[in-house]
Amino acid sequence: MGKSETRAAHGVRPPKKTPSASRAASRSPRRPAVAKTETPYHHGALREALLQAAERVLERDGLAGLTLRAVAREAGVSHAAPTHHFGDLTGLLSELAAVGFRQFNAAMASSCDTATTPLERALARPKAYVAYAQAHPGMYGIMFRTERLDYSRPSLHEAAEASFAGLANAIGMMRQEQISEDALTLNQGAAIARAWSMVHGFTTLLLDGRLKDILERLPEGTTAERLLEAMLTAPVTTKLPV
């Protein structure tokens, strides 16, 4: 005897299937929604991850696209995480600039490792200066946006001071004299300002595309690096009026 016959024998009618029930039965069961999970980080690693994410956003989207929320999205963490670690956007930018200065300082320090002649050593740092800016234009730019930074933060202050010390030491080696970072003679200050102005100005013009016109007028194959070399090695022949 079948199941329906057994129910009929006991006076039990099988339940009727309603249209809605039939449609529900024909549908495949829905998969449970998977909640979006945040990337887990150890507390110390999260700060580093946020700075790395901020650098990626800065180089990809520029300073205008660098916000606390954008950094949080890039790192895959809650929107509150950058605020917890850096306070506000100024804090984040300041810590990011400190990272930039440390990267920059490391590039400057290692620039002379392969130099074999005094001239190569003299040109190594300026070339490394320009090379860092070309490889990291966003980071290089934020390092000199003083109005957006908080130099009272120890990490930024120390990194920026180390950068100046490296420049002063390099000029001291070229002048064959010891230069104090705290007290400069006028000639020492002029030498530091002259070297920095030349390389920084050249770098800014290069990044802004303002040297293209000059490069196009030079002999074919002349690179920006070769132009920089010529600037740094050309003797000063201009006579001042008396």
Side-chain angles (χ1 to χ4, degrees):
M1 184 179 293
K3 290 182 179 180
S4 59
E5 294 174 339
T6 303
R7 291 193 190 99
H10 290 80
V12 179
R13 295 182 179 179
K16 294 182 179 180
K17 291 184 178 180
T18 63
S20 59
S22 299
R23 286 195 298 271
S26 64
R27 294 198 202 104
S28 58
R30 293 183 179 177
R31 294 181 179 179
V34 178
K36 184 179 180 181
T37 58
E38 297 175 1
T39 305
Y41 290 102
H42 181 269
H43 181 78
L46 175 55
R47 187 180 189 279
E48 181 64 25
L50 288 169
L51 288 172
Q52 292 174 359
E55 182 174 354
R56 291 194 300 271
V57 173
L58 178 62
E59 297 295 354
R60 183 184 66 229
D61 304 328
L63 184 57
L66 182 60
T67 64
L68 296 177
R69 293 177 70 87
V71 171
R73 285 195 302 269
E74 182 73 19
V77 297
S78 72
H79 292 159
T83 302
H84 175 72
H85 283 273
F86 306 108
D88 55 14
L89 184 57
T90 297
L92 173 62
L93 293 178
S94 300
E95 294 300 325
L96 189 60
V99 172
F101 273 113
R102 288 194 291 269
Q103 293 175 349
F104 178 79
N105 295 342
M108 296 299 101
S110 63
S111 63
C112 297
D113 291 348
T114 58
T116 58
T117 67
L119 178 59
E120 287 181 350
R121 283 191 291 273
L123 295 176
R125 287 182 67 92
K127 287 183 178 181
Y129 190 112
V130 177
Y132 177 82
Q134 288 180 299
H136 310 276
M139 292 289 276
Y140 178 80
I142 194 60
M143 287 160 54
F144 298 100
R145 292 294 298 271
T146 306
E147 78 283 2
R148 299 294 301 273
L149 306 177
D150 178 8
Y151 275 88
S152 68
R153 298 179 78 96
S155 57
L156 177 57
H157 178 76
E158 292 169 8
E161 285 294 306
S163 181
F164 180 80
L167 174 60
N169 290 338
I171 298 301
M173 291 177 62
M174 293 178 63
R175 292 169 58 90
Q176 297 183 341
E177 63 179 329
Q178 185 70 31
I179 293 183
S180 169
E181 303 165 25
D182 301 321
L184 302 173
T185 67
L186 179 58
N187 286 337
Q188 289 172 342
I192 293 172
R194 179 170 56 248
W196 191 7
S197 298
M198 179 180 292
V199 179
H200 183 75
F202 178 89
T203 303
T204 302
L205 290 172
L206 181 63
L207 293 181
D208 290 346
R210 302 300 297 274
L211 291 179
K212 184 178 179 181
D213 187 55
I214 294 178
L215 291 169
E216 288 177 346
R217 298 167 189 260
L218 295 177
E220 185 176 355
T222 303
T223 63
E225 183 178 283
R226 181 68 188 90
L227 176 60
L228 176 64
E229 288 180 4
M231 289 171 54
L232 296 172
T233 57
V236 179
T237 58
T238 303
K239 294 183 178 180
L240 297 176
V242 294

